[in-house]
């Protein structure tokens, strides 16, 4: 009973707004009763004014009609307003919940789920849920109430004729139920395709440089068009089903009305009934079909909403595999060492990326990690701030397993400059102060200076207030790196991880940044992944990682004579550096 579960789960989100909903429902019952009154009034209108030619009624009835419309209008306004208020509140809550849940999920989740799809879930799916909640909760009640009041009127006016008219009712109900089921299936498909569209948009707009560079515009345009065609086909199939239910009901309703005209007319002709009764009856009957049709539309949006809710709940139900323990403790400031013991790690089941790492990084030490590409260097350092958890073995800081401490107390101690620099579309200042929101202007400036970024920042048109574009698109690679180094400097964390932090810098600015880093690493525990000789030379110790294992360990001077992997890497990568280094020395 997945459907039942989804609905009752949705109702949970309605709960906080129960009182608004109840008031809205009361308004709606009044609106419905006024609809009944409208139909009822046709009888005195015809019989008293037109047939009995009653003068007082001529004055009274128009006043009553005015009153009925006024009351109906007022309450219909309040009902619609409150209903929107409830629906929009639920949307806001669900979006907030979904977003904070997504933020709590581990990095691996973001590597599996395309960005555009997540955006689509937060925007488009949640929107459909709102439609379902507000339409269904009150819409169904409103329409059912109206139907009840109007059925009351027709039975009150003439129960025999009413029974005849009711014959066609079951015929009307059946298609509603049947169409609804198909509608839900198609809705799921259409939401999935919408997510795809959103994803293509996201990727090709943010990656437009590559699209252009490889002349893939035509290809992307046709890929987009193809997905839109799929969406079009699904929506049209859905429309066919949605659009046929209403005319079908009208035709069936027409059968009922014809029967009534035939039977009721004959009663009036035989003087067994009055024209007023007959027209009041007919008015009520015609008015009934409107809310019944409404029920069918509601059913459609309910089915859409359920499909969307299932997609939203799918994400909400993802359990974080890198989660904070309930009784997590605060990690004290590092004093002794970071220690990997037999640490193994795999991203997916088949391949092990780290194959039993034993490594102790003493507090205050500068450790350089080198190795062939894909060897597992970035993976190794990503374990320290718990972007991932070891598959087996352990990682401790001062003897405390990092899985036992709070994320905040761990991550507050780790400053990271990642291999891919990540900047936000915000000002230079806010990018540097990211994570150090209470930093003073002076501190930000000092950090920029230490990262050798002050010069180019001050040359920018608005200095620290310059907005740098999405992912720092308006900066050069080296400028981007220096801003992210400044960010790490400002954070002033006791553990520093630099993953190829200086790879995009030319030798001269690297030399400068190197000095900044040297200032930075003092009294800090630093792990630096590097391929530049100058960076490695200054390290206290070097480990060489190949295919997930530590194969060599030592210093530049002890490793080189071994003639092993380090020597090979050195000869391949560091030759140019060494030459440049000699020149500057
Ligand atoms: N998110 C991921 N999911 C699955 N496999 C991954 C993921 N990230 C990396 N890998 C794989 O893990 C291995 C180690 O990657 P890692 O990024 O740690 O290498 P690296 O030593 O940092 O290489 P480089 O010097 O090129 O940066 C590679 O084979 C890579 O394909
Ligand atoms: Mg790497």
């Amino acid at each position: 009973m997945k459907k039942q579960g989804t609905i009752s789960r949705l109702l949970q989100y309605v709960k906080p707004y129960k009182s608004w909903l109840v008031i809205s429902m009361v308004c709606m019952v009044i609106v419905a009763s006024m609809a009944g009154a409208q139909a009822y009034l046709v009888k005195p209108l015809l019989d008293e004014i037109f047939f009995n030619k009653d003068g007082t009624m001529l004055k009274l009835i128009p006043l009553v009609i005015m009153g009925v419309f006024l009351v109906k209008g007022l309450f219909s306004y309040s009902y619609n307003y409150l209903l929107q208020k409830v629906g929009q509140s639920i949307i806001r809550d669900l979006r907030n919940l979904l977003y904070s849940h997504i933020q709590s999920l581990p990095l691996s989740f973001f590597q599996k789920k395309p960005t555009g799809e997540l955006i689509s879930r937060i925007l488009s799916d949640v929107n459909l849920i709102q439609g379902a909640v507000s339409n269904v909760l009150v819409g169904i009640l409103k329409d059912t109430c109206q139907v009840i009041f109007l059925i009351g009127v027709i039975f009150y006016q003439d129960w025999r004729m009413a029974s005849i008219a009711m014959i066609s009712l079951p015929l009307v109900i059946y298609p509603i139920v049947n169409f609804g089921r198909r509608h839900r299936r198609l809705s799921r498909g259409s939401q999935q395709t919408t997510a795809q569209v959103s994803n293509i948009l996201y990727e090709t707009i943010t990656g437009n440089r590559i699209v252009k560079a490889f002349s893939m515009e035509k290809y992307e345009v046709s890929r987009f068009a193809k997905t839109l065609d799929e969406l079009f086909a699904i929506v049209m199939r859905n429309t066919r089903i949605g659009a046929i239910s209403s005319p079908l009901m009208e035709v069936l309703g027409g059968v009922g009305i014809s029967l009534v005209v035939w039977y009721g007319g004959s009663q009036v002709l035989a003087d067994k009934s009055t024209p007023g009764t007959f027209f009041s009856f007919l008015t009520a009957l015609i008015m009934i079909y409107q809310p019944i049709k409404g029920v069918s539309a509601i059913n459609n949006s309910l089915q859409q909403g359920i499909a969307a809710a299932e997609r939203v709940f799918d994400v909400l139900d993802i359990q974080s595999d890198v989660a904070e323990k309930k009784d997590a403790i605060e990690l004290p400031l590092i004093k002794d060492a970071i220690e990997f013991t037999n640490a193994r790690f795999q991203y997916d089941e088949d391949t092990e990326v780290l194959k039993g790492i034993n490594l102790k990084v003493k507090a205050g030490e500068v450790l350089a990690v080198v190795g062939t590409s894909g060897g597992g260097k970035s993976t190794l350092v990503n374990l320290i701030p718990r972007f991932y958890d070891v598959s087996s073995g352990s990682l401790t800081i001062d003897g405390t397993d990092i899985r036992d401490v709070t994320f905040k107390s761990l991550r507050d101690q780790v400053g990271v400059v990642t291999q891919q620099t990540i900047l936000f579309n915000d000002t230079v200042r806010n990018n540097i102060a990211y994570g150090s929101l209470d930093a003073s202007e002076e501190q930000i400036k000092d950090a920029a200076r230490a990262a050798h970024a002050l010069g180019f920042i001050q040359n920018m048109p608005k200095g620290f207030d310059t907005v740098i574009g999405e992912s720092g698109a308006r900066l050069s690679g080296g400028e981007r790196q220096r801003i992210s180094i400044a960010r790490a400097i400002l954070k002033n964390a006791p553990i520093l991880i630099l993953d190829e932090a200086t790879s995009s810098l030319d030798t001269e600015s690297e030399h400068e940044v190197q000095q900044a880093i040297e200032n930075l690493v003092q009294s800090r525990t630093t792990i630096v992944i590097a391929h530049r000789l100058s960076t490695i030379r200054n390290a206290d110790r070097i480990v060489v990682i190949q295919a997930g294992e530590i194969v060599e360990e030592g210093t530049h001077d002890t490793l080189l004579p071994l003639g092993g992997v380090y020597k090979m890497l050195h000869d391949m990568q560091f030759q140019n550096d060494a030459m440049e280094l000699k020149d500057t020395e």
Side-chain angles (χ1 to χ4, degrees), residues 366-403:
V366 178
L367 177 81
V369 180
V370 298
T372 42
S373 178
K377 303 181 294 296
S378 297
T379 308
L380 180 78
V381 296
N382 277 336
L383 296 178
I384 297 174
R386 268 193 92 192
F387 290 151
Y388 306 96
D389 273 341
V390 288
S391 316
S392 75
S394 71
L395 170 50
T396 58
I397 292 180
D398 292 352
T400 312
D401 194 308
I402 60 166
R403 284 168 294 190

Side-chain angles (χ1 to χ4, degrees), residues 377-379 419 499-500 529:
K377 303 181 294 296
S378 297
T379 308
Q419 192 163 15
D499 192 349
E500 316 247 2
I529 300 175

Side-chain angles (χ1 to χ4, degrees), residues 286-584:
I286 291 172
M287 282 172 81
I288 283 181
Y289 283 105
Q290 195 54 43
I292 288 187
K293 269 196 327 207
V295 171
S296 130
I298 286 167
N299 191 39
N300 287 351
S301 75
L302 174 67
Q303 301 304 337
Q304 258 180 7
I306 290 176
E310 279 169 3
R311 285 166 54 79
V312 168
F313 291 151
D314 278 350
V315 176
L316 281 179
D317 287 342
I318 295 174
Q319 296 282 330
S320 180
D321 51 356
V322 181
E324 195 172 275
K325 277 193 183 159
K326 278 213 182 65
D327 52 354
I329 56 167
E330 297 279 306
L331 179 69
L333 220 58
I334 177 171
K335 283 196 300 282
D336 180 29
I338 304 171
E339 189 165 8
F340 294 83
T341 316
N342 242 328
R344 294 176 175 271
F345 179 78
Q346 45 200 67
Y347 287 102
D348 38 50
E349 261 137 56
D350 333 317
T351 43
E352 196 159 51
V353 177
L354 298 179
K355 300 169 186 160
I357 299 281
N358 286 300
L359 177 66
K360 188 166 180 172
V361 191
K362 286 194 287 297
E365 184 183 20
V366 178
L367 177 81
V369 180
V370 298
T372 42
S373 178
K377 303 181 294 296
S378 297
T379 308
L380 180 78
V381 296
N382 277 336
L383 296 178
I384 297 174
R386 268 193 92 192
F387 290 151
Y388 306 96
D389 273 341
V390 288
S391 316
S392 75
S394 71
L395 170 50
T396 58
I397 292 180
D398 292 352
T400 312
D401 194 308
I402 60 166
R403 284 168 294 190
D404 294 334
V405 304
T406 61
F407 278 128
K408 182 149 173 41
S409 68
L410 171 67
R411 290 177 183 167
D412 275 355
Q413 292 199 39
V414 186
V416 204
V417 180
T418 47
Q419 192 163 15
Q420 288 110 353
T421 45
I422 294 163
L423 300 176
F424 298 101
N425 185 20
D426 202 339
T427 58
V428 172
R429 175 184 299 103
N430 290 345
N431 268 291
I432 294 179
Y434 197 79
S436 320
L437 297 174
D438 47 4
S440 72
E441 202 66 13
E442 217 29 60
Q443 287 171 314
I444 294 174
K445 213 166 159 184
D446 286 345
R449 189 180 297 119
H452 288 255
L454 195 58
F456 79 83
I457 292 173
Q458 280 171 338
N459 278 336
M460 291 199 286
K462 288 190 188 155
F464 280 92
D465 290 315
T466 315
V467 174
I468 57 175
E470 200 167 3
S471 317
R474 279 177 227 150
L475 299 176
S476 78
E479 288 168 345
R480 253 176 267 167
Q481 258 184 352
R482 276 180 279 172
I483 288 196
S484 64
I485 291 171
R487 179 193 286 165
I489 291 176
L490 185 62
K491 186 173 177 188
N492 197 18
I495 300 169
L496 189 64
I497 295 170
L498 303 167
D499 192 349
E500 316 247 2
T502 56
S503 59
S504 308
L505 303 181
D506 53 57
T507 322
E508 196 179 313
S509 42
E510 204 219 342
H511 200 65
E512 288 182 56
V513 173
Q514 198 54 51
Q515 288 172 333
I517 289 178
E518 252 158 63
N519 295 336
L520 191 62
V521 300
Q522 271 164 20
S523 72
R524 251 171 260 269
T525 314
T526 312
I527 300 178
V528 49
I529 300 175
H531 56 234
R532 287 272 174 101
L533 185 59
S534 53
T535 317
I536 294 163
R537 269 223 183 141
N538 295 318
D540 299 321
R541 194 155 54 110
I542 301 167
V543 294
V544 183
I545 290 191
Q546 201 176 29
E549 282 169 308
I550 296 181
V551 289
E552 287 167 23
E553 193 177 329
T555 60
H556 177 74
D557 296 328
T558 59
L559 286 175
L560 211 52
L562 287 181
V565 183
Y566 183 78
K567 168 100 170 50
M568 179 198 77
L569 285 169
H570 174 266
D571 292 348
M572 276 179 356
Q573 296 180 357
F574 308 143
Q575 245 162 14
N576 298 335
D577 284 3
M579 259 148 57
E580 282 171 8
L581 217 61
K582 266 199 200 101
D583 289 348
T584 52

Side-chain angles (χ1 to χ4, degrees), residues 29-214:
V29 172
I30 295 172
V31 172
S33 68
M34 288 300 114
Q38 282 172 344
Y40 178 82
L41 278 173
V42 172
K43 178 182 161 71
L45 178 101
L46 274 177
D47 286 349
E48 304 303 326
I49 299 178
F50 291 99
F51 290 93
N52 294 346
K53 310 218 162 33
D54 187 329
T56 36
M57 282 297 175
L58 181 60
K59 294 192 193 93
L60 197 63
I61 291 179
L63 284 180
V64 175
I65 292 180
M66 246 157 64
V68 166
F69 274 91
L70 188 68
V71 172
K72 194 180 171 199
L74 275 178
F75 281 93
S76 147
Y77 168 81
S78 330
Y79 139 77
N80 273 320
Y81 178 81
L82 290 176
L83 191 55
Q84 273 298 318
K85 187 167 172 160
V86 173
Q88 292 298 333
S89 306
I90 293 170
I91 279 211
R92 188 190 50 195
D93 293 354
L94 262 177
R95 286 204 176 124
N96 276 329
L97 187 71
L98 195 56
Y99 183 69
S100 68
H101 181 72
I102 288 176
Q103 283 289 4
S104 80
L105 288 173
L107 213 56
S108 56
F109 167 79
F110 297 91
Q111 284 159 350
K112 282 179 217 136
K113 281 264 179 250
T115 315
E117 184 173 333
L118 288 176
I119 295 174
S120 166
R121 295 214 182 184
I122 295 176
L123 296 181
S124 148
D125 285 330
V126 174
N127 223 7
L128 283 179
I129 293 180
Q130 185 262 339
V133 170
S134 43
N135 283 345
V136 172
L137 280 180
V138 180
I140 274 198
L141 208 65
K142 174 181 153 226
D143 289 332
T144 332
C145 272
Q146 281 203 11
V147 170
I148 290 171
F149 279 110
L150 291 168
I151 287 181
V153 171
I154 64 172
F155 273 91
Y156 177 77
Q157 301 292 22
D158 188 332
W159 66 269
R160 247 176 264 127
M161 212 150 64
S163 316
I164 294 179
M166 286 298 111
I167 292 172
S168 59
L169 206 58
L171 295 177
V172 175
I173 307 283
Y174 173 73
I176 298 181
V177 177
N178 187 27
F179 288 150
R181 223 172 280 140
R182 284 206 261 168
H183 203 77
R184 178 152 55 107
R185 265 205 311 277
L186 288 171
S187 282
R188 231 186 136 82
S190 108
Q191 282 309 98
Q192 253 149 27
T193 320
T194 306
Q196 257 173 40
V197 169
S198 146
N199 203 42
I200 295 181
L201 280 177
Y202 178 82
E203 272 185 353
T204 51
I205 291 174
T206 54
N208 197 256
R209 189 188 303 252
I210 299 299
V211 175
K212 285 198 168 50
F214 286 84

Side-chain angles (χ1 to χ4, degrees), residues 114 193 195-205 207 211 216-231:
T193 320
Q196 257 173 40
V197 169
S198 146
N199 203 42
I200 295 181
L201 280 177
Y202 178 82
E203 272 185 353
T204 51
I205 291 174
V211 175
M216 289 295 270
E217 294 94 336
K218 277 221 181 81
Y219 170 81
E220 291 299 348
V221 167
S222 75
R223 189 160 74 113
F224 188 65
K226 215 177 113 204
T227 318
L228 281 191
D229 281 344
E230 270 170 44
L231 186 61

